[in-house]
Amino acid sequence: MAGITFGILIVSDSRSEGSQKDEAGPQLKRLVSDINTDTGKILKGKVLWDKIIPDKEEIIMEYLVEWSDIQKLDVILTSGGTGFSDTDVTPEATKKVIEKEAPGIVTAMLVSSLQVTPMAALSRAMCGIRGKTLIINLPGSPKALKECLVPIACVIPHAVDLISNKRADVERMHASHDLTKTNNNDHSCDLPATTLLHLENIATRLRESPYPMLSVDKAKELINKNIELQGTEIVTIWNAHNRILANDVFSLCDLPPFRASIKDGYAVLAEDGKGRRRVLGALKAGNTAASVSLVPGACIRVNTGAPIPDDATAVVQVEDTKLILKNSDNTEEKEIEILTVPKEGQDIRPIGCDLQKGELVLRAPIKLGAAEVGLLAACGYKEVEVYKVPSVGVLSTGDELEEPGNDLKPGYVYDSNTITLISILRENGYDPKNLGIAKDDKASMVNAIKNALGKVDVLVTSGSVSMGDRDMLKPILEHYFNAKIHFGRVNMKPGKPTTFATCTYNGKKKYFMCLPGNPVSATVTSILFVIPLLNEMHGDNSKPVIVRTKVDSTYQLDPRPEYARAILTWKDGTDLPLAYSTGNQISSKLFSCKSANALLMLPGKTVAKTVLHPGEVVEAILLNPRTTM
């Protein structure tokens, strides 16, 4: 079995020209080297030839003939060119070179793919034999070709034996397995750790994750690359606080809209200088300036913010005046004395001195705080356009989880992740939905995810993403929801199995942040990944507050960069805060998060640096910086 030789032919104009990155070729190479066969062995297929060529029938035929007749490969896998486009000619080229068709292989691929999507009916794959070579057409997308190759993987070695007349191998195969029987529970053709069916075959599960280990920065980059803003909506300014402004805002009026007094005092003619003035009356806030006219030797009493007469040139504050005469019932001023020499324009706010009509008030995107919504009101706005906030739900997974407050059965633990994650989301301004607990079985999990996707834009899960035999979330997302796993492992401690995926559900893009089940891992990764994801989805570009701090104790460094819970304290006379460890940092010990106000960003261990000593400086992410500072 291990001696099967493969050729991989990628058929694509864009990929051959280099305008599109080829992902199908690397995917096929991985699959060929790691396919579970009927006999329980792992097929270590050897790829001798691989090539990317344009969608040209004569070129496709040339390579199929050369690899079959001259290179004498056992199997040629083509990818691409099987659709309905004018340039899709791979099946036509294949049909012209094969000597025998293999419709059963095509049928097996089609039946399997139709279980995933009805669009599989649009594939026009062709399979057949030329000489001693089996030629199989596969779709162009990495996901679709995997869905087609997995169901037929177990027949490839037997087909090669039959074509090559390896009678001993054929007889041994028939003796060990009756190929004419169909067993719906036989999933031996599954690709390890890539399809749901394999989860029922624990003995052959992968011992290492198939997902590459990415840095935290690369994981964040992939998140940012694959998210989309949620669109906009109009809200009243009463509901705009903490929302992200979608468009620039320009003032609808002059601010102030009239000449206004800065002080409580008297509107005067500055050229009158010091001396006595007759009090002609008063202007209060809300009055109009045209209601009173000012003459030399007189003044008008005004309040702060009130309009002043059009002919007034200064305001003198009450503290710089003296009462000279009042009326008979002692209720009104009749005459005052100005004790200082007023200056032209003194204590008067000109029209539009703060903002002029049409002037830029707020530049989008910006988070609308108390001052910003107050400014919108002052400029005449009743409503404003903001980015929609993504809806988010939290789903815990695990057979062992029990709702807090219920009787705890043997082998169970209380679900702390749901309330912890919901609380973190609320602290950051979101209104998450509690989507409960999904058991570790396919039906429960699929139904829970379907229910979630009908309610939220972003689904945050905890558990079922590691390497346990019941960790089925990733294959479920791929198999049932046609999701793309953008990353499945992160080089960090805690939180290595953190997974980010997207899919289209009912015509709308949905997002999955799948966190580890350990409470501390879920807490740390929600801060590092979930909150930034949600923020970016509605235009909030705010970043976590990172400070430099000195460690108070010795830290043995881990090969992975570590995010250690700590308490930062600021003392007078010190240049940096001091970080105190919260204790044992094991990922299941939620108690280590108690009172923590920071995550120390410890570097990964190197040959030159294996330990941090007291007094050394590292960076730390502040948790809830409003209260920390």
Side-chain angles (χ1 to χ4, degrees):
M1 299 297 182
I4 297 178
T5 57
F6 284 81
I8 294 176
L9 194 62
I10 306 301
V11 183
S12 169
D13 286 336
S14 58
R15 296 176 194 179
S16 66
E17 295 166 356
S19 59
Q20 181 183 354
K21 181 181 178 182
D22 174 44
E23 296 180 352
Q27 170 80 314
L28 270 177
K29 289 180 182 178
R30 287 193 295 270
L31 297 178
V32 163
S33 65
D34 199 7
I35 296 179
N36 188 29
T37 69
D38 277 341
T39 59
K41 297 179 181 179
I42 301 298
L43 171 65
K44 296 296 183 181
K46 187 175 183 181
V47 178
L48 297 186
W49 294 91
D50 65 279
K51 185 70 176 178
I52 303 175
I53 62 174
D55 289 290
K56 299 290 187 293
E57 188 171 327
E58 64 275 13
I59 298 178
I60 300 171
M61 293 171 62
E62 177 184 343
Y63 276 91
L64 292 179
V65 170
E66 179 183 349
W67 288 3
S68 300
D69 299 355
I70 300 175
Q71 304 302 335
K72 298 190 181 303
L73 299 178
D74 294 320
V75 182
I76 300 174
L77 301 177
T78 72
S79 173
T82 61
F84 279 38
S85 169
D86 290 342
T87 59
D88 290 333
V89 293
T90 303
E92 285 70 25
T94 302
K95 190 169 184 177
K96 289 180 180 179
V97 302
I98 60 175
E99 298 159 350
K100 297 178 182 179
E101 292 189 20
I105 294 178
V106 175
T107 302
M109 293 193 296
L110 180 60
V111 170
S112 177
S113 296
L114 286 173
Q115 294 176 0
V116 179
T117 172
M119 296 302 163
L122 301 181
S123 178
R124 301 184 305 107
M126 171 65 64
C127 297
I129 303 164
R130 178 181 176 87
K132 303 296 184 182
T133 301
L134 176 63
I135 301 174
I136 302 174
N137 293 166
L138 298 170
S141 85
K143 183 177 183 305
L145 67 84
K146 180 175 68 176
E147 291 168 355
C148 288
L149 186 57
V150 167
I152 63 169
C154 56
V155 306
I156 291 177
H158 191 54
V160 169
D161 288 342
L162 289 169
I163 295 170
S164 303
N165 294 321
K166 296 179 180 178
R167 183 169 300 278
D169 289 335
V170 172
E171 291 175 352
R172 185 169 56 253
M173 175 68 73
H174 279 279
S176 64
H177 186 72
D178 185 353
L179 292 176
T180 64
K181 294 181 180 179
T182 300
N183 182 353
N184 291 332
N185 294 318
D186 178 10
H187 309 301
S188 56
C189 291
D190 293 337
L191 186 69
T194 58
T195 66
L196 281 177
L197 302 179
H198 176 74
L199 293 170
E200 299 172 3
N201 191 358
I202 297 171
T204 59
R205 61 177 165 141
L206 286 179
R207 303 294 164 172
E208 293 183 6
S209 173
Y211 298 95
M213 183 93 77
L214 304 183
S215 68
V216 170
D217 287 342
K218 181 61 177 178
K220 289 181 177 179
E221 180 184 321
L222 284 174
I223 290 175
N224 292 337
K225 180 181 177 181
N226 288 284
I227 60 177
E228 301 170 357
L229 287 172
Q230 292 295 285
T232 64
E233 61 182 345
I234 305 295
V235 299
T236 70
I237 58 173
W238 294 98
N239 295 316
H241 185 254
N242 277 338
R243 299 294 295 273
I244 306 300
L245 185 67
N247 293 306
D248 294 346
V249 169
F250 300 86
S251 182
L252 299 178
C253 62
D254 292 317
L255 192 63
F258 49 80
R259 298 171 73 232
S261 175
I262 295 176
K263 301 282 183 66
D264 291 326
Y266 302 87
V268 300
L269 299 174
E271 59 267 27
D272 282 353
K274 295 195 299 184
R276 294 188 175 190
R277 302 286 187 276
R278 288 181 295 116
V279 180
L280 300 180
L283 279 175
K284 299 181 294 183
N287 291 155
T288 60
S291 62
V292 179
S293 181
L294 190 61
V295 296
C299 66
I300 302 293
R301 188 169 67 252
V302 292
N303 294 333
T304 301
I308 62 171
D310 293 339
D311 41 13
T313 56
V315 170
V316 178
Q317 64 181 0
V318 173
E319 294 88 340
D320 293 333
T321 66
K322 182 172 68 174
L323 178 64
I324 300 300
L325 184 65
K326 52 189 175 182
N327 63 5
S328 58
D329 59 3
N330 297 323
T331 59
E332 290 289 341
E333 302 166 333
K334 295 187 67 176
E335 188 176 343
I336 63 166
E337 182 178 355
I338 304 295
L339 303 177
T340 60
V341 177
K343 297 179 181 179
E344 190 83 17
Q346 174 179 303
D347 287 335
I348 295 175
R349 294 171 64 211
I351 294 173
C353 66
D354 291 344
L355 281 171
Q356 294 183 354
K357 184 176 180 179
E359 184 177 346
L360 179 66
V361 178
L362 297 171
R363 188 178 296 281
I366 185 176
K367 179 175 282 190
L368 298 174
E372 287 77 17
V373 294
L375 185 56
L376 289 171
C379 292
Y381 282 88
K382 179 182 179 181
E383 298 175 329
V384 67
E385 187 172 6
V386 296
Y387 286 110
K388 292 179 180 178
V389 177
S391 55
V392 57
V394 176
L395 174 69
S396 289
T397 68
D399 289 337
E400 78 283 9
L401 298 181
E402 184 58 78
E403 294 279 0
N406 294 346
D407 292 336
L408 197 62
K409 296 184 282 291
Y412 279 65
V413 295
Y414 287 121
D415 172 26
S416 62
N417 282 350
T418 298
I419 191 168
T420 300
L421 294 173
I422 283 177
S423 298
I424 290 172
L425 289 165
R426 286 175 176 166
E427 286 175 354
N428 285 273
Y430 296 98
D431 183 23
K433 290 179 172 60
N434 181 356
L435 299 173
I437 300 170
K439 296 299 182 182
D440 285 327
D441 67 77
K442 288 182 291 187
S444 175
M445 202 168 290
V446 169
N447 288 335
I449 294 172
K450 284 183 178 178
N451 173 62
L453 295 184
K455 297 178 178 179
V456 300
D457 302 310
V458 179
L459 177 58
V460 180
T461 67
S462 64
S464 196
V465 288
S466 191
M467 293 293 292
D469 61 90
R470 305 309 296 164
D471 290 330
M472 60 181 68
L473 185 53
K474 292 173 187 174
I476 282 178
L477 292 180
E478 288 185 306
H479 185 81
Y480 282 102
F481 298 94
N482 201 23
K484 178 175 177 58
I485 307 293
H486 298 287
F487 63 79
R489 285 197 306 166
V490 184
N491 188 30
M492 63 181 294
K493 180 183 179 182
K496 182 172 70 172
T498 301
T499 298
F500 170 57
T502 57
C503 78
T504 300
Y505 189 82
N506 288 339
K508 186 174 182 181
K509 190 170 185 177
K510 302 289 184 176
Y511 302 82
F512 302 90
M513 277 304 313
C514 307
L515 312 181
N518 280 321
V520 175
S521 301
T523 299
V524 170
T525 52
S526 71
I527 294 166
L528 290 180
F529 299 115
V530 176
I531 300 305
L533 165 70
L534 293 169
N535 288 349
E536 290 287 343
M537 287 179 67
H538 72 113
D540 185 353
N541 297 319
S542 58
K543 306 299 181 185
V545 178
I546 298 178
V547 300
R548 299 174 74 242
T549 181
K550 293 180 179 179
V551 298
D552 80 310
S553 56
T554 300
Y555 284 87
Q556 297 294 330
L557 298 180
D558 189 86
R560 289 174 281 156
E562 184 173 1
Y563 294 81
R565 283 71 67 201
I567 300 172
L568 268 56
T569 60
W570 282 257
K571 293 184 179 179
D572 294 340
T574 58
D575 56 339
L576 294 174
L578 190 62
Y580 297 92
S581 173
T582 57
N584 191 324
Q585 298 291 300
I586 188 171
S587 59
S588 60
K589 192 174 179 66
L590 188 58
F591 198 82
S592 67
C593 293
K594 178 179 176 291
S595 302
N597 61 4
L599 293 176
L600 298 185
M601 301 167 66
L602 304 180
K605 180 171 67 174
T606 63
V607 174
K609 187 71 174 177
T610 61
V611 65
L612 278 181
H613 299 288
E616 291 195 65
V617 176
V618 297
E619 290 186 328
I621 300 172
L622 294 187
L623 306 178
N624 201 351
R626 294 179 182 176
T627 57
T628 302
M629 303 299 285

